[in-house]
Amino acid sequence: MKRSLLSILVCPTCKAELTLTVDREEDGEIVSGSLSCDACDETYPIEDTIPNMLPPDLRD
């Protein structure tokens, strides 16, 4: 995921802003980490550069 995406992504559950946590970054791209919403207390994982923005009950 590119950092620039953070400016357009919102929480799919409540539409609030997201906070980025980076676990691993390579060549300016976030490989793993998470996006979290303080408003509804949900966390969305970033795995293999792809943010999983599905609501928690629809993941896996």
Side-chain angles (χ1 to χ4, degrees):
M1 181 185 117
K2 300 280 185 197
R3 284 185 183 269
S4 59
L5 279 178
L6 190 58
S7 65
I8 61 171
L9 292 176
V10 296
C11 177
T13 304
C14 72
K15 309 299 183 227
E17 291 184 19
L18 297 167
T19 303
L20 174 65
T21 302
V22 178
D23 293 335
R24 194 170 109 220
E25 188 171 357
E26 292 179 7
D27 300 323
E29 192 154 6
I30 298 156
V31 177
S32 65
S34 63
L35 296 164
S36 56
C37 177
D38 292 332
C40 68
D41 203 32
E42 288 296 338
T43 301
Y44 303 94
I46 301 169
E47 298 173 351
D48 297 323
T49 72
I50 301 168
N52 184 342
M53 301 299 293
L54 287 173
D57 57 333
L58 296 178
R59 289 184 208 153
D60 296 328

